[in-house]
Structures are given as C-alpha cells and as structure tokens.
Amino acid sequence: MDYKNHIAQKLNIEGVSTEEIQSFITPTPSQDMGDYALPCFRFAKALRKSPVAIAEQLAGEFVTDDIITDVKAVNGYLNFTVNRMGFCSATLKSVLSEKQNYGSSNEGNGKTVCIDYSSINIAKPFHIGHLSTTVLGSSLYKIFNFLGYKAVGINHLGDYGTQFGKLIYAYKAWGDKQTVEKEGLKELTRLYVKFHEEAETHPEMEDAARAYFKNIEQGEQSAMQLFNWFKELTLTQIEKIYDLLNVKFDSYAGESFYNDKMQPVIDELKAKNLLTESDGAMVVDLSAYDMPPCIILRSDGASLYATRDLAAAFYRKNTYDFDKCLYVVAYQQNLHFMQIFKVLELLQKDWHKDMVHVSYGMVSLEDGSMSTRKGKVVWLEEVIEKCIEKCLAIIDEKNPNLENKEQVAKQVGVGAVIFGALSNNKIKDIVFSYNKVLNFDGETGPYVQYTAARCSGVLAKADINFEDYTLPNKLESCEYELIAHLSTFGDTVKAAAEKYEPCFITRYAIDLAKLYNKFYFECKILTAEDKNLVKFRLALTKAVRITIENALSLLGISAPERM
Ligand code: ARG
C-alpha cells in the first residue's frame, strides 16, 4: 500500500499536482504525531495564506476512510493517522514477497545514467585517497540500477601524460623486468619517485622523458610496448581490489582512448568562435563567468586533461545517450568541472544541464601517515588487508568455533572499510580509523552485519513454518517502530539517488539494526506466549534480514549468515 500516494490522491490543492503533494509527505518522527505529515508552508506562497490556515482548511475538507483513519491540523502541518494494522500487514507482506527486490522501483526505466568513478591513474599507487570515489561511485551504480535506470560504470583511466615518459626513462635506467613483474605498482612507484629525486640534480632527464612520451604519442613500437605493459600490470593488480570491494565497470575508456576523438571538439569550438589565443595556447575565455580560461591546446599543440574530458563528454552522449552523466571526483576538481560544464553550455549542448560533479571530501589515516610525497603511500590494499586481519583476530576471540572464519573475516573486514567510507555526507573530510570502523558495537558495518547474522541465527533455531503468520491484535511499540522503518526503505533509496548520498542508506541500515536489537531484547521471539505470536515475530525477523541484506548490497557489502 502506497500511503503517501493514497493521501495525495485525496487532497485537492490549487495549482499543485498530486505528485508534488506526494513528494512533500513524510513519515512523522514520533507516533504521537500520527504516521505521516504534510508541511503546509510549502503551499503558503502559491495560495497566499498562512500554513496554519491552509492546514486547517485541508483538515476540514479531508474525508477519512478505512486506510487513513484520522487527520489533524497542527501548527501548519497536516498529520495523518493510518490504519496501523493494515499498514503493518501490507508492509510485512511486501518485504516477504518482494525479497531481494524489496525497495527497488522502475522509476528509471528507459533512462541511462553514466557514472565516472574510481578513474585511477596508471602506474601510480592506488591509495586510501581513492577509497571514496571507488565506493561512492560503485554504490551509486548499484542504487541507480536498483531504481530501474541503466547505469553505465566508467573508469576514466589516467593513462596519458608526460609521466609515462618519465616512467620509461626510469625503467630503462634502474628497472628490470623481474622486479616489476614481482612487485608491480610498488616497483613502478619506486621508479617514478627515483626519477624525481634524480631529476632535481639532472634536469636534462626531463627532456629525455619528454622525448619518450613523444614516442608513445606517435605510437612508436618499443615505447608502446612498455606503456601497454605498465597499463596491464596496473589493471591486473587493481582488479583484485575491485573484486574485494565488489566494484564493477562497464567501460575502461580512459584518457588515451580520446587521442583521436578531440578534433571534432576543437573544430566545433572554432566554428562557434569560442577559441581564443593566449600566449600561444588556445583557450576558451571564461572571464565573464569569473573563471580562469579553460585551456584546450598548449602552445606546443598538446591537448590537456580538459580537452580529453570534453571529448569524453561528447563520446558518452553519442554512445550512451545518457539522461545524466555523473563524475565522482574529489572537490579539488570543482573548478575543472565547472569549466567543462560551462564550455558545453557555450557550445549550446542542451545536455550540459545533465552533467553533475558528485564532489566529495578527503580521506586521511588517523595517524596522519598519508603523505604521497616522497613515495610514502598508504596503499588501499594494505588498509583492506589489515582490516580483514584485525577482523579475524576479533572473531578468534569472540567466536573461535565459527565455520569459514577466513571467509567471514573477509566479508566483515571489507564491509567495515566500505561502510566506514560511506557513513558521512560525502563532502565531509574523513579520518579513517581501524578501531572506529571495526567496532562491533558502534555505528559500523560489522554492527549491521552482526544484526543480520543475529536474524539468521533466530530463523535457524525456529522449527516452525511461519508462512501463515497473522498480525497480533495489538502491536508492541518496538514492533510497530520496526515495521514503520521497514516501510521507508524504498523512499530512502530514492532519496539517496536524488542527492547522490549513499550515506542515507548506511544511516538507514544503522537505524534498522538498532530497532531490531531493541525488539530482540524487549520481545521474546521463539518463546513468545503463543504460537501465532512466534510466527509473526519470525516473519518480522525474516523481513528485517531481507531488508538489511538489500541495503548492504547497495553499498557492495555482503551479509554473512553467521559471524
Ligand atoms: N584520474 C583523475 C585523477 O586521479 C580523475 C579522473 C576523473 N574523471 C574525469 N573524467 N576527469 O585526478
């Protein structure tokens, strides 16, 4: 039963559509206020009346029925009371019948959303700073798919630039095949750092590196071979981490993919008189918009990061015909994306309004050891491995006889990292702390996973079929609160997509786990007074397990059966 829709259908507000009314209705924070509320200040301007007067008038006109049993005007709000039993029974029924689809929708059917995330740089460390873009983007990818959109996950690889010339130089000077093959990215990083150290006293190395890069640009065979090898090495190593984190992409078209796709952009900029010369470079002047110029071609004719992003935007529109194109990139690049989107607008691409920079804050490690300078790097893989190890130690202490300990430690360790990274509004800077993300009693992934395992434990102990459960005549308040929270899952997923905030889902999961644990301690489940009550509480437990699982899966986290 869609109560909001039912309420909205019954309201008549001049100049406001039913959909709009429905979007303003929210569940109330406390039961004394009824179950749903409509804030009438939303209509004050259109109706030129005070919210209080509007609420009173609407309350007077509203005809209650057997679904909405009461309506009251309170301080400019309309508060609705629903038929609780009907509401609870309908909610439980939908969770139990829709199972892994509970909370999904088809609102996005026929629409495509491109999501550019992780977008790592080849031959550079995959460090803790990449955690947010990777898990935020991946979660948005899963959320949009769950809502019926076709999401396209794009890893816009940083596989172009003078740094590859430097790397070839360093490899030829100090590297060898075996070490690179064995150590992978670590060795490539070491070589890269060494280049910079040496170049300080031997500036002529920079010219040699530039020459190597020119070779790559011209497709010279031996340079290409090395470059492709570095790329392959990076990708194989990084895919292991993506697998651990349940992250997937549909395309790895990176910067070099656009080598032959920039000319049409440049031509169009010229044709529309948007290119001007500045110190030999070709730029789009953005001074009228209080922004520095967007550089398209350097004075030596080389293209830039921005040129490639413009070509990529054209390519994505042509290839995927997206309805939205998201860039999950740190706030350091706010200006870059403002420039790109402005240039698209000046090019009269009406789809410039569909481009969104999903900007997020920085991640650092608690002990402050995150400093990429001097090659001192906090490798993401090591952070994840360490979390898994610490998790195994906790399990060894708390539940030493657990089967598949390693497997569970992996699920929980990874869950802790992802959940920790998605716990706050994305724009906030976060300080990563092992103890914090691994605290089984805190607002963490392990806490939520533990609650899901608790549900499974209860269900495993039940030797009764509860499919024919019925609702008791009166619900305990913790039962009602739990069901009411279950009913808001779909809205939470929608809101997370709308605001690009997976943290709405982590928050939801924490609240659901807390409510279930309260119920678990306050109400007897398997030993309840009568058989019907046992069945109902088992059904409720099952519904909670399903919903936690769905919420976690949208974050890329699995829910172990036992832990
Ligand atoms: N590789 C870039 C970096 O590490 C991020 C790329 C983001 N995506 C894009 N289309 N510009 O800074």
Side-chain angles (χ1 to χ4, degrees), residues 282-322:
M282 296 309 276
V283 307
V284 179
D285 178 12
L286 297 175
S287 55
Y289 313 97
D290 275 336
M291 284 187 252
C294 181
I295 308 175
I296 304 295
L297 293 173
R298 273 202 324 235
S299 53
D300 63 1
S303 63
L304 286 100
Y305 182 53
T307 328
R308 287 161 195 280
D309 254 330
L310 287 168
F314 275 45
Y315 178 83
R316 289 174 195 175
K317 187 64 193 174
N318 285 334
T319 310
Y320 305 111
D321 194 23
F322 57 73

Side-chain angles (χ1 to χ4, degrees), residues 145-187:
N145 273 329
F146 199 57
L147 293 176
Y149 294 83
K150 170 154 188 18
V152 183
I154 304 172
N155 198 329
H156 185 78
L157 298 177
D159 57 0
Y160 185 86
T162 42
Q163 73 266 28
F164 295 104
K166 295 178 183 171
L167 197 59
I168 291 184
Y169 181 102
Y171 175 72
K172 292 203 170 185
W174 312 292
D176 67 88
K177 194 158 182 233
Q178 270 128 325
T179 322
V180 171
E181 224 125 63
K182 187 158 158 274
E183 299 286 326
L185 279 180
K186 287 217 167 122
E187 174 65 2

Side-chain angles (χ1 to χ4, degrees), residues 120-284:
I120 49 143
N121 298 323
I122 294 299
K124 288 255 186 83
F126 193 41
H127 58 71
I128 184 151
H130 298 112
L131 177 60
S132 296
T133 171
T134 306
V135 297
L136 263 172
S138 162
S139 175
L140 291 173
Y141 180 78
K142 294 176 204 290
I143 290 171
F144 277 102
N145 273 329
F146 199 57
L147 293 176
Y149 294 83
K150 170 154 188 18
V152 183
I154 304 172
N155 198 329
H156 185 78
L157 298 177
D159 57 0
Y160 185 86
T162 42
Q163 73 266 28
F164 295 104
K166 295 178 183 171
L167 197 59
I168 291 184
Y169 181 102
Y171 175 72
K172 292 203 170 185
W174 312 292
D176 67 88
K177 194 158 182 233
Q178 270 128 325
T179 322
V180 171
E181 224 125 63
K182 187 158 158 274
E183 299 286 326
L185 279 180
K186 287 217 167 122
E187 174 65 2
L188 293 181
T189 308
R190 186 190 72 83
L191 290 170
Y192 189 68
V193 170
K194 186 156 170 82
F195 179 92
H196 283 274
E197 283 164 7
E198 299 285 329
E200 271 180 29
T201 44
H202 301 282
E204 70 282 359
M205 282 167 51
E206 301 278 356
D207 289 331
R210 250 191 296 277
Y212 279 128
F213 179 55
K214 196 127 219 131
N215 291 344
I216 300 180
E217 277 188 300
Q218 290 166 346
E220 192 265 316
Q221 217 191 350
S222 73
M224 274 322 274
Q225 247 167 16
L226 280 177
F227 171 70
N228 285 330
W229 180 47
F230 295 152
K231 191 162 160 175
E232 241 168 71
L233 273 172
T234 311
L235 287 179
T236 340
Q237 205 170 332
I238 275 163
E239 245 143 53
K240 271 198 268 163
I241 306 179
Y242 287 152
D243 280 347
L244 264 178
L245 295 173
N246 293 311
V247 173
K248 288 196 175 49
F249 298 93
D250 301 295
S251 158
Y252 279 89
E255 292 191 42
S256 72
F257 178 76
Y258 299 101
N259 275 348
D260 59 355
K261 298 179 181 63
M262 287 174 283
Q263 200 53 44
V265 180
I266 297 166
D267 292 344
E268 199 173 329
L269 283 167
K270 268 192 201 140
K272 292 190 171 148
N273 274 326
L274 291 167
L275 274 190
T276 49
E277 213 206 287
S278 160
D279 292 333
M282 296 309 276
V283 307
V284 179

